[in-house]
Amino acid sequence: MNIYSIKTNKMEKTILVTGGTGYIGAWVTKKLLEKGYIVRLAVRDKSRTDKYQYLQDISEKNEGKLELWEADLLKMGSYDAAAQGAEAIIHMASPFTLRFKDPIKDLIEPAVNGTKNVLEAANKSESVKRVVLTSSVAAVHGDTIDMTESGLSEFTEEHFNYSSSPKHQPYSYSKVAAEKAAWDIAKNQANWELVVINPSFVMGPSLSKTSDSESINFMKDMLSGKFKSGAPDLQFGFVDVRDVADAHILALENEDAEGRHILAERTAGVLDVVNIIRNEFGEKYKLPKKHAPKFVLMLMGWMFGISRKFVKNNVGYPLKLNTTKSIEKLKLKYMPLEQTLKDMVLQMEENK
Ligand code: NDP
Protein backbone atom coordinates (compact mmCIF):
# COMPACT_ATOMS: atom_id res chain seq x y z
CA MET A 1 0.00 0.00 0.00
CA ASN A 2 1.54 3.33 -1.03
CA ILE A 3 0.90 6.24 1.29
CA TYR A 4 1.23 9.84 0.20
CA SER A 5 3.49 11.66 2.63
CA ILE A 6 3.09 15.38 3.26
CA LYS A 7 6.55 15.38 4.85
CA THR A 8 8.36 14.16 1.73
CA ASN A 9 5.80 15.15 -0.87
CA LYS A 10 5.83 11.74 -2.57
CA MET A 11 4.40 8.21 -2.50
CA GLU A 12 6.05 6.02 0.08
CA LYS A 13 6.26 2.34 0.83
CA THR A 14 5.54 0.74 4.16
CA ILE A 15 7.94 -1.95 5.37
CA LEU A 16 7.47 -4.07 8.49
CA VAL A 17 10.88 -4.58 10.11
CA THR A 18 11.55 -7.19 12.80
CA GLY A 19 14.82 -7.13 14.74
CA GLY A 20 15.28 -3.45 13.86
CA THR A 21 16.68 -2.72 17.32
CA GLY A 22 19.56 -5.16 16.78
CA TYR A 23 23.10 -4.72 15.51
CA ILE A 24 22.22 -5.42 11.85
CA GLY A 25 18.62 -4.23 12.14
CA ALA A 26 19.53 -0.72 13.28
CA TRP A 27 21.59 -0.15 10.12
CA VAL A 28 18.79 -1.54 7.93
CA THR A 29 16.24 0.73 9.67
CA LYS A 30 18.52 3.78 9.34
CA LYS A 31 19.05 3.19 5.61
CA LEU A 32 15.32 2.63 5.02
CA LEU A 33 14.51 5.89 6.82
CA GLU A 34 17.15 7.72 4.80
CA LYS A 35 15.53 6.38 1.63
CA GLY A 36 12.11 7.68 2.66
CA TYR A 37 10.36 4.45 3.61
CA ILE A 38 7.68 4.20 6.28
CA VAL A 39 9.24 1.72 8.70
CA ARG A 40 6.97 -0.27 10.99
CA LEU A 41 9.45 -1.16 13.69
CA ALA A 42 8.25 -4.20 15.63
CA VAL A 43 9.70 -4.06 19.16
CA ARG A 44 9.17 -6.42 22.06
CA ASP A 45 8.47 -3.71 24.60
CA LYS A 46 7.62 -0.12 23.66
CA SER A 47 8.55 1.07 27.16
CA ARG A 48 12.22 0.22 26.40
CA THR A 49 12.80 3.53 24.63
CA ASP A 50 16.57 3.07 25.04
CA LYS A 51 16.34 0.38 22.35
CA TYR A 52 14.93 2.66 19.66
CA GLN A 53 15.13 6.36 20.64
CA TYR A 54 18.16 6.89 18.36
CA LEU A 55 16.13 5.48 15.45
CA GLN A 56 13.39 8.01 16.18
CA ASP A 57 16.05 10.73 16.10
CA ILE A 58 17.26 9.43 12.72
CA SER A 59 13.68 9.44 11.45
CA GLU A 60 13.23 13.11 12.51
CA LYS A 61 16.22 14.10 10.38
CA ASN A 62 15.28 12.06 7.32
CA GLU A 63 12.58 11.59 4.74
CA GLY A 64 11.22 8.35 6.15
CA LYS A 65 8.80 7.81 8.99
CA LEU A 66 9.16 5.46 11.95
CA GLU A 67 6.11 3.73 13.43
CA LEU A 68 6.31 1.63 16.57
CA TRP A 69 4.47 -1.67 16.88
CA GLU A 70 4.71 -4.17 19.71
CA ALA A 71 5.25 -7.83 18.84
CA ASP A 72 7.20 -10.85 20.06
CA LEU A 73 8.48 -13.79 18.05
CA LEU A 74 7.00 -16.13 20.65
CA LYS A 75 3.54 -14.52 20.78
CA MET A 76 1.64 -16.08 17.92
CA GLY A 77 -0.33 -13.59 15.87
CA SER A 78 1.48 -10.59 17.34
CA TYR A 79 2.82 -9.44 13.91
CA ASP A 80 -0.54 -9.74 12.13
CA ALA A 81 -1.72 -6.17 12.67
CA ALA A 82 1.62 -4.63 11.67
CA ALA A 83 1.74 -6.72 8.47
CA GLN A 84 -1.68 -5.45 7.35
CA GLY A 85 -0.99 -2.70 4.85
CA ALA A 86 2.78 -3.28 4.69
CA GLU A 87 4.17 -4.02 1.23
CA ALA A 88 7.13 -6.00 2.46
CA ILE A 89 8.60 -7.50 5.60
CA ILE A 90 12.28 -7.57 6.50
CA HIS A 91 12.51 -10.31 9.11
CA MET A 92 15.79 -10.11 11.00
CA ALA A 93 14.71 -10.84 14.60
CA SER A 94 16.31 -13.98 15.99
CA PRO A 95 18.62 -14.48 18.96
CA PHE A 96 22.31 -14.45 17.99
CA THR A 97 23.94 -15.57 21.19
CA LEU A 98 26.30 -18.30 22.25
CA ARG A 99 25.54 -17.52 25.93
CA PHE A 100 22.31 -19.47 26.36
CA LYS A 101 20.97 -21.85 29.00
CA ASP A 102 18.47 -23.92 27.08
CA PRO A 103 19.17 -24.19 23.31
CA ILE A 104 15.57 -25.13 22.48
CA LYS A 105 13.89 -22.35 24.45
CA ASP A 106 16.55 -19.66 24.03
CA LEU A 107 17.53 -20.19 20.37
CA ILE A 108 15.55 -22.70 18.35
CA GLU A 109 11.99 -21.80 19.37
CA PRO A 110 12.35 -18.04 18.81
CA ALA A 111 14.15 -18.63 15.49
CA VAL A 112 11.84 -21.27 14.02
CA ASN A 113 8.47 -20.47 15.63
CA GLY A 114 9.24 -16.77 15.31
CA THR A 115 9.86 -17.13 11.56
CA LYS A 116 6.62 -19.10 11.18
CA ASN A 117 4.80 -16.43 13.20
CA VAL A 118 6.09 -13.59 10.99
CA LEU A 119 5.46 -15.45 7.72
CA GLU A 120 1.95 -16.38 8.82
CA ALA A 121 1.37 -12.65 9.33
CA ALA A 122 2.51 -12.17 5.69
CA ASN A 123 0.03 -14.88 4.65
CA LYS A 124 -2.83 -13.21 6.50
CA SER A 125 -2.13 -9.77 5.04
CA GLU A 126 -3.23 -9.05 1.51
CA SER A 127 -0.63 -6.34 1.05
CA VAL A 128 2.73 -8.08 1.60
CA LYS A 129 4.45 -8.85 -1.71
CA ARG A 130 7.97 -9.67 -0.57
CA VAL A 131 9.67 -11.02 2.54
CA VAL A 132 13.40 -10.53 3.00
CA LEU A 133 14.67 -13.00 5.58
CA THR A 134 17.98 -12.70 7.43
CA SER A 135 19.32 -16.21 7.50
CA SER A 136 23.05 -16.89 7.84
CA VAL A 137 25.95 -18.83 6.36
CA ALA A 138 25.22 -20.99 9.40
CA ALA A 139 22.24 -22.22 7.36
CA VAL A 140 24.61 -22.98 4.44
CA HIS A 141 27.20 -24.97 6.35
CA GLY A 142 27.75 -26.37 9.82
CA ASP A 143 31.22 -27.47 10.94
CA THR A 144 34.09 -26.22 8.77
CA ILE A 145 35.18 -29.83 8.25
CA ASP A 146 31.94 -30.38 6.27
CA MET A 147 33.51 -28.73 3.20
CA THR A 148 36.48 -31.08 3.10
CA GLU A 149 34.42 -34.13 4.10
CA SER A 150 31.83 -33.46 1.38
CA GLY A 151 34.60 -33.17 -1.23
CA LEU A 152 33.68 -29.53 -1.91
CA SER A 153 36.09 -26.75 -2.85
CA GLU A 154 33.64 -24.08 -1.63
CA PHE A 155 30.14 -23.56 -0.24
CA THR A 156 27.51 -22.04 -2.50
CA GLU A 157 23.84 -21.09 -2.15
CA GLU A 158 22.98 -24.71 -3.11
CA HIS A 159 24.23 -26.04 0.21
CA PHE A 160 22.34 -26.46 3.46
CA ASN A 161 23.88 -27.11 6.85
CA TYR A 162 23.45 -30.80 7.66
CA SER A 163 25.74 -31.27 10.66
CA SER A 164 24.28 -28.97 13.30
CA SER A 165 21.68 -30.16 15.80
CA PRO A 166 20.02 -28.90 18.99
CA LYS A 167 23.00 -30.38 20.87
CA HIS A 168 25.86 -29.51 18.53
CA GLN A 169 26.09 -25.91 17.24
CA PRO A 170 22.46 -25.11 18.23
CA TYR A 171 22.64 -21.51 16.96
CA SER A 172 23.56 -22.78 13.49
CA TYR A 173 20.79 -25.37 13.78
CA SER A 174 18.30 -22.62 14.70
CA LYS A 175 19.23 -20.74 11.51
CA VAL A 176 19.01 -23.68 9.10
CA ALA A 177 15.75 -24.90 10.66
CA ALA A 178 14.24 -21.39 10.48
CA GLU A 179 15.31 -20.87 6.85
CA LYS A 180 13.94 -24.27 5.79
CA ALA A 181 10.64 -23.49 7.55
CA ALA A 182 10.53 -20.19 5.66
CA TRP A 183 11.03 -21.87 2.28
CA ASP A 184 8.27 -24.39 3.11
CA ILE A 185 5.80 -21.63 3.95
CA ALA A 186 6.83 -19.56 0.92
CA LYS A 187 6.30 -22.50 -1.46
CA ASN A 188 2.74 -23.03 -0.26
CA GLN A 189 1.42 -19.59 -1.21
CA ALA A 190 1.51 -17.24 -4.20
CA ASN A 191 1.05 -13.77 -2.72
CA TRP A 192 4.62 -12.94 -1.73
CA GLU A 193 8.17 -13.81 -2.71
CA LEU A 194 10.88 -14.87 -0.30
CA VAL A 195 14.41 -13.48 -0.73
CA VAL A 196 17.03 -14.73 1.72
CA ILE A 197 20.24 -13.07 2.88
CA ASN A 198 22.94 -15.36 4.30
CA PRO A 199 25.59 -13.16 5.93
CA SER A 200 28.84 -14.56 7.25
CA PHE A 201 30.29 -13.13 10.48
CA VAL A 202 29.21 -9.48 10.57
CA MET A 203 31.66 -6.84 11.82
CA GLY A 204 31.71 -3.04 11.81
CA PRO A 205 30.40 -0.19 13.92
CA SER A 206 27.19 -0.60 15.92
CA LEU A 207 24.42 2.00 16.06
CA SER A 208 22.60 0.03 18.76
CA LYS A 209 23.91 0.37 22.31
CA THR A 210 21.67 -2.43 23.62
CA SER A 211 22.57 -5.25 21.21
CA ASP A 212 24.12 -8.39 22.70
CA SER A 213 25.04 -9.76 19.27
CA GLU A 214 27.98 -12.16 19.17
CA SER A 215 29.53 -9.83 16.58
CA ILE A 216 30.00 -7.24 19.31
CA ASN A 217 30.94 -9.80 21.97
CA PHE A 218 33.64 -11.25 19.70
CA MET A 219 35.34 -7.88 19.28
CA LYS A 220 34.94 -7.02 22.99
CA ASP A 221 36.58 -10.36 23.91
CA MET A 222 39.37 -9.81 21.39
CA LEU A 223 40.20 -6.28 22.57
CA SER A 224 39.93 -7.15 26.26
CA GLY A 225 42.63 -9.81 25.89
CA LYS A 226 40.51 -12.97 26.25
CA PHE A 227 42.49 -14.72 23.51
CA LYS A 228 45.87 -13.17 24.34
CA SER A 229 47.57 -16.53 24.98
CA GLY A 230 46.57 -17.85 21.56
CA ALA A 231 43.83 -17.45 18.95
CA PRO A 232 41.87 -20.50 17.78
CA ASP A 233 42.81 -21.48 14.22
CA LEU A 234 39.27 -20.89 12.94
CA GLN A 235 38.24 -19.55 9.54
CA PHE A 236 35.17 -17.38 9.05
CA GLY A 237 33.66 -15.31 6.30
CA PHE A 238 33.55 -11.62 7.31
CA VAL A 239 31.25 -8.88 6.06
CA ASP A 240 30.63 -5.26 7.04
CA VAL A 241 27.35 -4.54 8.86
CA ARG A 242 26.67 -1.58 6.52
CA ASP A 243 27.07 -3.88 3.50
CA VAL A 244 24.69 -6.39 5.10
CA ALA A 245 22.14 -3.58 5.47
CA ASP A 246 22.64 -2.59 1.81
CA ALA A 247 22.12 -6.21 0.78
CA HIS A 248 18.76 -6.27 2.57
CA ILE A 249 17.66 -3.13 0.78
CA LEU A 250 18.86 -4.42 -2.60
CA ALA A 251 16.93 -7.63 -1.91
CA LEU A 252 13.87 -5.54 -1.12
CA GLU A 253 14.07 -3.19 -4.09
CA ASN A 254 15.48 -5.33 -6.89
CA GLU A 255 12.47 -6.95 -8.54
CA ASP A 256 14.62 -9.77 -9.95
CA ALA A 257 16.14 -10.70 -6.60
CA GLU A 258 15.40 -14.34 -5.75
CA GLY A 259 16.66 -17.22 -3.64
CA ARG A 260 19.59 -17.13 -1.25
CA HIS A 261 22.63 -14.83 -1.10
CA ILE A 262 25.86 -15.65 0.73
CA LEU A 263 27.58 -12.47 1.95
CA ALA A 264 31.31 -12.28 2.72
CA GLU A 265 33.98 -9.79 1.74
CA ARG A 266 36.52 -12.58 2.31
CA THR A 267 37.20 -15.58 4.46
CA ALA A 268 39.97 -15.08 7.00
CA GLY A 269 41.38 -16.65 10.14
CA VAL A 270 41.03 -15.15 13.61
CA LEU A 271 44.77 -14.37 13.54
CA ASP A 272 44.35 -12.52 10.22
CA VAL A 273 41.74 -10.33 11.92
CA VAL A 274 44.14 -9.78 14.82
CA ASN A 275 46.93 -8.76 12.43
CA ILE A 276 44.69 -6.23 10.68
CA ILE A 277 43.81 -4.69 14.07
CA ARG A 278 47.48 -4.71 15.14
CA ASN A 279 48.56 -3.00 11.91
CA GLU A 280 46.10 -0.19 12.61
CA PHE A 281 46.30 0.12 16.39
CA GLY A 282 49.79 -1.23 17.22
CA GLU A 283 50.22 -2.82 20.65
CA LYS A 284 47.35 -0.88 22.28
CA TYR A 285 45.40 -4.10 22.90
CA LYS A 286 46.46 -7.47 24.36
CA LEU A 287 46.04 -9.34 21.10
CA PRO A 288 47.21 -12.91 20.48
CA LYS A 289 50.43 -13.42 18.50
CA LYS A 290 50.00 -17.10 17.68
CA HIS A 291 47.47 -19.88 17.33
CA ALA A 292 46.40 -21.81 20.41
CA PRO A 293 47.37 -25.47 19.85
CA LYS A 294 44.40 -27.67 18.97
CA PHE A 295 45.04 -30.13 21.82
CA VAL A 296 45.00 -27.25 24.33
CA LEU A 297 41.66 -26.08 22.94
CA MET A 298 40.36 -29.68 23.18
CA LEU A 299 41.24 -29.63 26.89
CA MET A 300 40.46 -26.01 27.74
CA GLY A 301 37.80 -25.02 25.18
CA TRP A 302 35.03 -25.39 27.76
CA MET A 303 36.45 -22.29 29.47
CA PHE A 304 35.49 -20.33 26.34
CA GLY A 305 32.18 -22.15 25.95
CA ILE A 306 33.33 -24.40 23.08
CA SER A 307 32.97 -28.18 23.06
CA ARG A 308 35.56 -30.79 22.11
CA LYS A 309 33.47 -31.76 19.11
CA PHE A 310 33.43 -28.13 17.94
CA VAL A 311 37.22 -27.90 18.27
CA LYS A 312 37.71 -31.26 16.54
CA ASN A 313 35.51 -30.39 13.54
CA ASN A 314 36.34 -26.72 13.09
CA VAL A 315 39.86 -25.85 14.21
CA GLY A 316 42.46 -26.03 11.44
CA TYR A 317 40.14 -26.62 8.45
CA PRO A 318 39.91 -24.45 5.32
CA LEU A 319 36.74 -22.57 4.42
CA LYS A 320 35.69 -20.99 1.14
CA LEU A 321 32.40 -19.21 0.46
CA ASN A 322 31.21 -18.38 -3.04
CA THR A 323 29.85 -14.82 -3.04
CA THR A 324 29.45 -14.36 -6.82
CA LYS A 325 25.66 -14.13 -6.63
CA SER A 326 25.77 -11.26 -4.12
CA ILE A 327 28.10 -9.30 -6.43
CA GLU A 328 26.65 -10.15 -9.84
CA LYS A 329 22.92 -10.48 -9.14
CA LEU A 330 22.37 -8.36 -6.03
CA LYS A 331 25.04 -5.82 -7.19
CA LEU A 332 26.44 -5.56 -3.67
CA LYS A 333 29.75 -3.71 -3.30
CA TYR A 334 31.87 -4.92 -0.40
CA MET A 335 33.85 -2.72 1.95
CA PRO A 336 37.39 -4.05 2.66
CA LEU A 337 37.71 -5.90 5.97
CA GLU A 338 40.52 -3.53 7.00
CA GLN A 339 38.09 -0.57 6.92
CA THR A 340 35.36 -2.57 8.67
CA LEU A 341 37.60 -3.56 11.58
CA LYS A 342 39.13 -0.10 11.92
CA ASP A 343 35.69 1.54 12.06
CA MET A 344 34.45 -1.04 14.58
CA VAL A 345 37.38 -0.57 16.98
CA LEU A 346 37.19 3.23 16.69
CA GLN A 347 33.47 3.17 17.42
CA MET A 348 33.98 0.89 20.45
CA GLU A 349 36.68 3.26 21.73
CA GLU A 350 34.32 6.18 21.27
CA ASN A 351 31.57 4.37 23.22
CA LYS A 352 34.11 3.24 25.84
P1 NDP B 1 21.10 -8.75 17.73
O1 NDP B 1 21.10 -9.60 18.95
O2 NDP B 1 21.78 -7.44 17.80
O3 NDP B 1 19.61 -8.53 17.22
C1 NDP B 1 18.61 -9.46 17.43
C2 NDP B 1 17.27 -8.79 17.22
O4 NDP B 1 16.23 -9.78 17.37
C3 NDP B 1 16.99 -7.69 18.23
O5 NDP B 1 16.29 -6.64 17.59
C4 NDP B 1 16.09 -8.38 19.24
O6 NDP B 1 15.21 -7.50 19.92
C5 NDP B 1 15.29 -9.29 18.32
N1 NDP B 1 14.70 -10.40 19.07
C6 NDP B 1 15.32 -11.39 19.71
N2 NDP B 1 14.41 -12.19 20.30
C7 NDP B 1 13.19 -11.68 20.02
C8 NDP B 1 11.86 -12.03 20.35
N3 NDP B 1 11.58 -13.09 21.13
N4 NDP B 1 10.84 -11.29 19.86
C9 NDP B 1 11.09 -10.20 19.10
N5 NDP B 1 12.34 -9.80 18.76
C10 NDP B 1 13.37 -10.53 19.22
O7 NDP B 1 21.75 -9.67 16.59
P2 NDP B 1 22.26 -9.36 15.11
O8 NDP B 1 21.83 -8.03 14.67
O9 NDP B 1 23.68 -9.73 15.05
O10 NDP B 1 21.44 -10.47 14.30
C11 NDP B 1 20.27 -10.15 13.56
C12 NDP B 1 19.96 -11.30 12.63
O11 NDP B 1 21.07 -11.54 11.78
C13 NDP B 1 19.68 -12.62 13.32
O12 NDP B 1 18.67 -13.29 12.58
C14 NDP B 1 21.00 -13.36 13.20
O13 NDP B 1 20.83 -14.76 13.26
C15 NDP B 1 21.43 -12.91 11.83
N6 NDP B 1 22.85 -13.02 11.54
C16 NDP B 1 23.77 -12.34 12.30
C17 NDP B 1 25.11 -12.43 11.98
C18 NDP B 1 26.15 -11.70 12.76
O14 NDP B 1 27.35 -11.99 12.57
N7 NDP B 1 25.78 -10.74 13.60
C19 NDP B 1 25.59 -13.30 10.89
C20 NDP B 1 24.53 -13.94 10.14
C21 NDP B 1 23.22 -13.80 10.47
P3 NDP B 1 15.63 -6.78 21.30
O15 NDP B 1 16.30 -5.50 20.90
O16 NDP B 1 14.32 -6.56 21.98
O17 NDP B 1 16.54 -7.70 22.04
Side-chain angles (χ1 to χ4, degrees), residues 19 21-24 44 51 72-73 79 92-94 96 134-136 171 175 199-202 211 213 215:
T21 53
Y23 171 54
I24 296 173
R44 285 199 253 195
K51 289 200 174 190
D72 192 302
L73 293 173
Y79 293 91
M92 296 174 280
S94 199
F96 179 31
T134 319
S135 184
S136 169
Y171 166 71
K175 295 306 288 180
S200 52
F201 205 10
V202 183
S211 163
S213 170
S215 293

Side-chain angles (χ1 to χ4, degrees), residues 301-351:
W302 59 273
M303 288 169 70
F304 302 98
I306 51 177
S307 70
R308 276 184 183 210
K309 187 174 172 186
F310 176 85
V311 174
K312 184 169 163 280
N313 292 347
N314 291 278
V315 171
Y317 291 101
L319 174 69
K320 196 164 175 240
L321 300 167
N322 184 315
T323 57
T324 311
K325 190 174 173 195
S326 69
I327 298 164
E328 290 183 359
K329 293 267 172 70
L330 213 52
K331 309 278 182 222
L332 183 65
K333 292 193 178 72
Y334 286 107
M335 195 175 292
L337 182 58
E338 288 77 7
Q339 186 69 50
T340 301
L341 295 172
K342 180 181 169 188
D343 291 352
M344 186 173 197
V345 175
L346 286 175
Q347 180 260 328
M348 283 183 146
E349 288 181 348
E350 206 179 293
N351 287 352

Side-chain angles (χ1 to χ4, degrees), residues 163-191:
S163 62
S164 300
S165 71
K167 286 198 174 138
H168 176 62
Q169 299 235 53
Y171 166 71
S172 299
Y173 178 78
S174 79
K175 295 306 288 180
V176 69
E179 194 192 319
K180 282 184 171 173
W183 284 117
D184 280 347
I185 297 170
K187 270 184 223 141
N188 286 316
Q189 57 76 50
N191 290 333

Side-chain angles (χ1 to χ4, degrees), residues 1-6 8-17 28-29 31-41 63-67 69 82-90 127-130 193 249-255:
M1 189 182 298
N2 283 319
I3 294 176
Y4 188 77
S5 161
I6 296 168
T8 62
N9 210 18
K10 65 178 191 194
M11 300 300 274
E12 293 184 339
K13 286 193 171 179
T14 304
I15 315 293
L16 168 58
V17 169
V28 171
T29 305
K31 285 177 184 261
L32 287 171
L33 291 169
E34 286 168 352
K35 293 196 85 177
Y37 284 97
I38 298 169
V39 178
R40 290 191 172 170
L41 187 73
E63 287 195 354
K65 187 175 152 223
L66 191 74
E67 294 178 5
W69 295 69
Q84 289 290 342
E87 269 154 301
I89 301 178
I90 302 186
S127 53
V128 172
K129 296 286 167 259
R130 180 165 287 195
E193 296 163 342
I249 290 167
L250 290 167
L252 175 79
E253 292 181 341
N254 179 348
E255 286 199 8

